[in-house]
Amino acid sequence: MKSVSVALEEIGGIFKVTPDVNAGTNEGFTPLIEHRVETHFDTPEELGQAILEAFTKAR
């Protein structure tokens, strides 16, 4: 079973949700910038949905 990762960063009220690709033991996790979502979420549910969506894109 391979691990997956999602990075979450907040700067000035803007959240960045970025899925990662698992490049193995030597290289670790690499961000999938093309799938990053940057926005201000109005509710915790919207942020949670974005995180769950990022996990579906992480590999």
Side-chain angles (χ1 to χ4, degrees), residues 19-57:
D20 294 326
V21 61
N22 186 341
T25 306
N26 293 329
E27 296 182 41
F29 289 99
T30 305
L32 293 168
I33 302 300
E34 65 274 16
H35 294 295
R36 175 180 285 163
V37 174
E38 295 184 35
T39 191
H40 170 68
F41 295 98
D42 293 326
T43 67
E45 290 79 13
E46 288 178 350
L47 178 57
Q49 188 59 43
I51 293 169
L52 291 174
E53 179 70 22
F55 272 113
T56 67
K57 294 176 181 172

Side-chain angles (χ1 to χ4, degrees), residues 9-10 15-17 24 28-29 40-42 54:
E9 181 179 16
E10 183 269 330
F15 289 89
K16 297 179 182 182
V17 183
F29 289 99
H40 170 68
F41 295 98
D42 293 326

